[in-house]
Amino acid sequence: MMKTKTYIIGDVHGEFDTLIALIDKIPKKSKIIFVGDLVDRGEKSNKVVEFVRQNNHQCCMGNHEDMMIHYGTSFINSYPSSVYNNFINMWINNGGKKTLLSYGLIKIDKYDGKIVCVENSKAFEQFKDDISWMKTLPLYIKIKKHKKDGKKIVISHASCGNVWHHHNNADEIETFEEYALWNRTPPYPQCDIFNIYGHTIINKIDTSLHYLNIDTGCYLKDDIIRELSAYCIEDDCIISQRRV
C-alpha cells in the first residue's frame, strides 16, 4: 500500500489555472499544504481560496491574507460606497484590486479608470466568509512524522527559523508574527528547525540548503519563465508548473 505523501505549495497569488495544472501533476490523495499568499496580484484569487477551502487543504497565514483581513474588513464596513481612502488603498495597490475584481465586488470605470463598487450580495457574503476563514489560519504548521537534516520541519509563509525560540513566548509573539509574515532573511544554519517557506521570490529552488524557499514567483510577468512549485517532503523533490 502506497504511503500518503506531503506536498508543500508556494505562493499562488490568484493564479488559479496554474494551480490546477500543478495539482494535476501531484499524486492523487496526497496531503497538500500551502505556505500562504493565496490571494492578490493574479486574476482568480476567489477561485484559489474556494479550491483550498473545499478540499480542506492546510494553509499558513501569508502577509497577503493578513492584509486582506485588515483592509478587507475596512472595505466591508464601507461597502457599497466608495473604496477610495488612504487606508484601503495600501491593499488596493499591493494586489488587492485584483482580488476584489475576482469576487465581482468592484469594477473599473471605463472613462476615468476609477474603482467603483458593485452591489453583489452573494459575492459580498462569500468575501466576508472567506475573511472569517483566513482569520483561523496558523502562522506555522509543524510536520510531526518527518525530519530534515535531523531537524523538525516547520512550514511558514516567510522565514521564521531565526526567531523560532519565540514561537511559544507570549511576550515575543509580535516579533515572531512579524518574521512569519514578512521576513526576507534566510534562517541561520544553527537555527533549531528546517524551515520551508515562500514570500521571497527566487528563480530556482535549491534543496541542498539548510532551509527551503519555494516561492518561484508564478504571478510575475517578466523575462523569466515563471512557475508555481511544490516540494515533496518524503521524496525531497520538486514538481513545477509554468504559469498558464
Side-chain angles (χ1 to χ4, degrees), residues 118-171:
V118 175
E119 293 196 51
N120 184 335
S121 59
K122 183 178 180 180
F124 185 57
E125 291 305 314
Q126 187 60 58
F127 182 74
K128 291 193 293 182
D129 191 63
D130 286 345
I131 285 181
S132 295
W133 171 76
M134 288 178 185
K135 290 178 180 179
T136 70
L137 297 179
L139 289 173
Y140 62 88
I141 295 170
K142 290 190 286 187
I143 304 297
K144 297 179 180 179
K145 295 183 179 180
H146 300 279
K147 289 188 176 182
K148 173 79 170 172
D149 300 336
K151 296 180 178 181
K152 56 189 172 185
I153 298 171
V154 176
I155 302 159
S156 55
H157 176 62
S159 166
C160 70
N162 294 338
V163 293
W164 179 247
H165 55 288
H166 289 321
H167 76 284
N168 279 331
N169 184 345
D171 295 331

Side-chain angles (χ1 to χ4, degrees), residues 2-51:
M2 291 183 63
K3 292 184 178 179
T4 300
K5 294 184 178 181
T6 304
Y7 286 82
I8 317 302
I9 296 181
D11 304 38
V12 181
H13 278 302
E15 296 291 341
F16 176 72
D17 296 335
T18 305
L19 171 61
I20 297 306
L22 177 63
I23 292 294
D24 286 343
K25 294 181 177 182
I26 294 174
K28 304 297 182 185
K29 297 185 179 179
S30 296
K31 181 177 182 180
I32 295 174
I33 301 174
F34 292 83
V35 301
D37 275 12
L38 303 176
V39 298
D40 296 345
R41 306 195 190 285
E43 304 289 339
K44 299 179 180 179
S45 289
N46 65 322
K47 299 296 291 183
V48 174
V49 174
E50 179 182 57
F51 173 82

Side-chain angles (χ1 to χ4, degrees), residues 168-188:
N168 279 331
N169 184 345
D171 295 331
E172 297 289 347
I173 191 61
E174 289 185 6
T175 298
F176 181 78
E177 181 175 327
E178 180 74 14
Y179 269 73
L181 294 177
W182 296 95
N183 180 48
R184 297 194 186 277
T185 303
Y188 302 133

